[in-house]
Amino acid sequence: MNKKQVITIILLFLSLLLLGYLSLYWGAVKISPFQAQDEVGRLIMFRLRLPRILLAIIAGFGLSVSGVVFQALLRNPLADPYILGTSSGAALGGVLAIALGLGASIVSISFSAFVFALLTLFIVYKLAQHNGKMPVQNLLLAGVIINTFLSGLVTLIMSLSRQELYSIMFWIMGSLSQADQGTIWLGGSTVLLLSGAIILMSRDLNIMTLGEEKAQSLGVPVELMRKILFVTVSLVIAILVSICGLIGFVGLIIPHISRLLVGPDHKVLLPVSGLLGAIFLLLCDVLARTIAIPLEIPIGVITALAGAPFFLYLLRRKRTNLLLEE
Amino acid sequence: MAYLEISKIQFAYRKAMVLKDISFTVHQGDFLGIIGPNGSGKSTLLKILARLLKAREGTVALNDLDLKQYPIRTLAQKIALVPEETLLNFPFTVEELVLMGRSPHLPFLQPLAPKDHAKANDCMEKTSVRDLAGRRINELSSGERQRAFIAQALAQEPDILLLDEPTAHLDINHQIEIFNVLKNLQEQYGLTIITITHDLNLAALYCDTLLLLKGGELFSLGPPSQVLTAENIKNVYHTQVTVQQHQKIKKLQITLIPNH
């Protein structure tokens, strides 16, 4: 890690703290940081806003780290769990668990989401493979189609089980409104532990971006590492989706911007992406809470509105060397 | 003495036989060129030597021990591979790339030590990419990039270096440059080099031994003077050539003869 990289990490961390602090004061009810708070003010800040802020940080961090890992494993800067349908798979698992009455606990929902996320990942992987290779266009196409199909299923199941529109919106467009002690502990510990484990594997991740043959000849057990990492990331995704629904594009744009900032070395890229993702989602949530007061906009709407144009920009700018290679 | 003994290798993709009953021995310090037309099984053979593919029949033994017996990291300390194509979606710097070559020597979680950096610098020196250490690989010319990947392979401190067409898509000046680097590694440091090449003249100039494949079979094996005969080339490539010894450099050179 060089000086510039260390400074970037420290600056991002400080910005996150500052932003987290400021977001306590932003919202439908205006609270001034320069006045002593009454009982109601404190309640709003610490009971309502603080949990959401924490959840935004956790989800933003986890989604970005997952995006980085997907991109390294598939050796493609356009891959991300949302675009490739893994997140929708998790959502389907979660919704099914609820509809079948497998218990309303977040743990059983997460488990079902995990199983379906893995299953979806496997299907997309197999669909995209052709003669042992995985052309980028196959991967994106398979991902998009599966994604649409699964989102359809999610909506269908929700409609049939007579859920309110709001609850369908929660799964499809994401929301941080489920933030409470339980979800924060579950999400927080998962993201913290698994991101930590992934960062420990960053040397192998770097090598795996060079391709399967090169990685293997450098002594990396590629098949094993790939399985470990895919399972790890799917677990992160499953739990985050169970807690906040589908929040797209974070895992795509944040790693990309981070790579421009600090380069592709995963030892630095992973923490930088995580922090930047946390900042991004925190900002998105502030927007979601404040642009249409007293209404609240689903956070996935904000990330999609910011993310989709960015994705198109990447696709155009990189067309020559991304879609044609491999 | 490090050496590689290949005996009775057979390989098939689905039902198509790609390699049939190949046996040969590579001695330490050899510079072996694998030549043959497209589809003759060159890359498959190289991948079997790198243990990326498993032969259906036959064995590859390194120092009298079957390749299968080596733990993956131990093997990476003995045999390094420079594949033909490398993807540049992840723009590492040359230095980062070469340091990855130290990976087989670093147990899990052990950080890079000063001696790893010294080794990487040394390897960059040997392939003349030291000045490019801070540059990103997607900004390099193909020749520079190829030398960076050779430096990475060297950082593994291997006994044997395998290369799949290291000079594909390169201008002649870069072709010569790459082969000069390889020759130097062989002569100065006793590295065993096994490379696939399409260029018969380069093969004649640099390789001590040539292995000519035809349709998955070993057609000829020996010094260039024995393998690169007009008759062999006519037989394998269906092309008319004359083979002459260059007066000054005393190496064989092949001239194509158009047949119209």
Side-chain angles (χ1 to χ4, degrees):
Chain A
M1 235 184 266
N2 62 35
K3 234 184 200 157
K4 186 192 152 200
Q5 294 168 328
V6 176
I7 291 173
T8 309
I9 291 180
I10 292 172
L11 282 181
L12 284 174
F13 185 71
L14 293 178
S15 319
L16 180 60
L17 285 184
L18 180 68
L19 203 67
Y21 174 74
L22 289 177
S23 355
L24 282 172
Y25 296 95
W26 279 328
V29 178
K30 291 200 170 41
I31 299 172
S32 163
F34 305 110
Q35 287 170 4
Q37 302 310 323
D38 56 12
E39 192 64 27
V40 180
R42 277 201 295 274
L43 207 68
I44 290 175
M45 280 168 67
F46 297 108
R47 281 291 166 80
L48 291 179
R49 290 184 190 161
L50 184 62
R52 283 186 73 125
I53 290 168
L54 291 176
L55 191 57
I57 291 174
I58 291 165
F61 198 100
L63 291 172
S64 301
V65 164
S66 307
V68 172
V69 175
F70 259 62
Q71 290 163 16
L73 292 182
L74 298 165
R75 294 204 297 142
N76 186 334
L78 292 181
D80 133 67
Y82 182 77
I83 289 184
L84 297 186
T86 318
S87 303
S88 310
L92 179 62
V95 166
L96 267 178
I98 295 171
L100 296 176
L102 292 179
S105 102
I106 190 71
V107 176
S108 61
I109 294 173
S110 297
F111 181 75
S112 171
F114 175 54
V115 172
F116 274 80
L118 273 182
L119 207 65
T120 311
L121 183 58
F122 181 77
I123 291 171
V124 170
Y125 205 86
K126 285 288 162 201
L127 278 177
Q129 240 172 11
H130 181 69
N131 285 340
K133 289 198 168 175
M134 192 160 15
V136 179
Q137 50 276 51
N138 282 14
L139 192 68
L140 291 179
L141 205 60
V144 167
I145 290 169
I146 293 288
N147 200 357
T148 312
F149 181 73
L150 293 177
S151 300
L153 275 183
V154 169
T155 311
L156 177 71
I157 293 168
M158 298 300 278
S159 314
L160 289 179
S161 60
R162 295 173 193 279
Q163 296 282 340
E164 293 166 37
L165 197 60
Y166 176 78
S167 145
I168 297 177
M169 284 242 292
F170 163 81
W171 286 100
I172 298 293
M173 295 309 316
S175 163
L176 296 176
S177 59
Q178 300 288 309
D180 61 25
Q181 251 187 15
T183 52
I184 285 170
W185 272 109
L186 178 68
S189 52
T190 310
V191 167
L192 196 69
L193 281 177
L194 297 185
S195 303
I198 291 167
I199 290 174
L200 292 181
M201 293 184 257
S202 51
R203 184 154 61 213
D204 286 348
L205 267 176
N206 284 344
I207 292 176
M208 285 166 80
T209 65
L210 300 178
E212 192 166 338
E213 291 182 354
K214 188 71 237 200
Q216 213 164 315
S217 73
L218 277 164
V220 175
V222 178
E223 272 306 313
L224 178 71
M225 290 303 294
R226 197 185 277 153
K227 277 184 194 136
I228 292 175
L229 284 159
F230 269 139
V231 169
T232 309
V233 176
S234 300
L235 188 57
V236 174
I237 291 298
I239 287 175
L240 289 180
V241 168
S242 303
I243 297 174
C244 359
L246 287 179
I247 303 177
F249 292 104
V250 182
L252 175 79
I253 54 180
I254 298 302
H256 198 88
I257 296 172
S258 309
R259 225 175 268 118
L260 291 178
L261 274 176
V262 292
D265 181 0
H266 286 86
K267 194 175 61 192
V268 189
L269 181 63
L270 285 164
V272 165
S273 290
L275 289 170
L276 205 59
I279 291 174
F280 175 70
L281 210 59
L282 195 53
L283 278 176
C284 286
D285 188 48
V286 170
L287 278 179
R289 288 192 282 134
T290 53
I291 50 175
I293 295 172
L295 296 177
E296 190 187 311
I297 294 172
I299 189 165
V301 171
I302 311 274
T303 59
L305 289 181
F310 188 80
F311 180 73
L312 287 178
Y313 158 75
L314 283 187
L315 208 58
R316 276 206 74 78
R317 198 176 68 103
K318 292 274 192 161
R319 175 168 289 160
T320 42
N321 64 1
L322 275 187
L323 288 183
L324 297 181
E325 256 182 65
E326 262 200 317
Chain B
M1 284 286 271
Y3 75 101
L4 202 57
E5 187 159 8
I6 292 89
S7 48
K8 300 193 172 158
I9 290 281
Q10 304 245 13
F11 189 84
Y13 279 116
R14 298 212 172 85
K15 278 182 183 164
M17 250 344 212
V18 180
L19 292 175
K20 299 167 202 159
D21 207 24
I22 306 255
S23 300
F24 61 98
T25 304
V26 184
H27 297 281
Q28 181 170 14
D30 265 358
F31 197 131
L32 174 73
I34 301 176
I35 55 177
N38 294 333
S40 57
K42 300 187 297 292
S43 288
T44 306
L45 177 59
L46 199 77
K47 282 178 188 171
I48 288 174
L49 299 187
R51 207 180 66 179
L52 294 174
L53 293 174
K54 290 201 172 82
R56 197 163 71 175
E57 300 281 335
T59 55
V60 180
L62 173 66
N63 296 329
D64 293 323
L65 185 61
D66 193 326
L67 228 49
K68 289 176 205 145
Q69 306 288 320
Y70 285 87
I72 184 163
R73 285 153 50 83
T74 314
L75 190 67
Q77 296 170 11
K78 308 267 180 206
I79 299 180
L81 170 75
V82 181
E84 186 184 358
E85 279 175 60
T86 38
L87 211 68
L88 306 171
N89 281 345
F90 295 85
F92 288 101
T93 64
V94 171
E95 188 178 21
E96 286 169 337
L97 192 77
V98 176
L99 280 169
M100 288 183 209
R102 295 303 298 157
S103 170
H105 296 275
L106 295 168
F108 186 61
L109 293 186
Q110 183 176 308
L112 291 162
K115 77 170 188 335
D116 295 307
H117 285 276
K119 186 75 206 172
N121 281 338
D122 185 39
C123 295
M124 287 190 276
E125 205 79 67
K126 282 177 188 163
T127 63
S128 332
V129 289
R130 183 73 199 276
D131 298 338
L132 307 173
R135 296 266 300 277
R136 303 206 170 269
I137 49 169
N138 56 340
E139 297 165 354
L140 304 182
S141 74
S142 337
E144 291 168 335
R145 196 179 302 143
Q146 197 59 270
R147 279 185 283 134
F149 276 101
I150 294 174
Q152 185 193 46
L154 289 180
Q156 292 171 244
E157 299 182 79
D159 297 326
I160 299 172
L161 183 59
L162 304 174
L163 304 102
D164 193 348
E165 283 202 61
T167 56
H169 320 300
L170 295 187
D171 299 334
I172 47 171
N173 54 331
H174 291 120
Q175 294 183 7
I176 285 282
E177 207 174 70
I178 296 286
F179 269 93
N180 281 341
V181 164
L182 295 178
K183 195 72 191 168
N184 188 44
L185 291 170
Q186 179 212 10
E187 286 177 347
Q188 297 280 315
Y189 305 99
L191 195 65
T192 307
I193 295 186
I194 302 178
T195 180
I196 292 179
T197 177
H198 263 300
D199 192 318
L200 300 181
N201 281 321
L202 278 174
L205 283 175
Y206 287 95
C207 299
D208 302 326
T209 313
L210 290 177
L211 189 156
L212 177 59
L213 287 174
K214 181 191 181 186
E217 285 177 77
L218 199 161
F219 187 84
S220 175
L221 174 71
S225 59
Q226 195 184 315
V227 175
L228 291 178
T229 62
E231 202 191 329
N232 279 352
I233 291 169
K234 172 104 178 71
N235 202 323
V236 173
Y237 290 90
H238 310 294
T239 306
Q240 284 283 3
V241 299
T242 57
V243 181
Q244 294 162 308
Q245 194 173 52
H246 191 284
Q247 286 183 336
K248 243 188 190 160
I249 57 172
K250 306 290 178 213
K251 296 274 187 184
L252 293 182
Q253 286 300 282
I254 292 155
T255 314
L256 295 171
I257 301 171
N259 53 0
H260 59 78

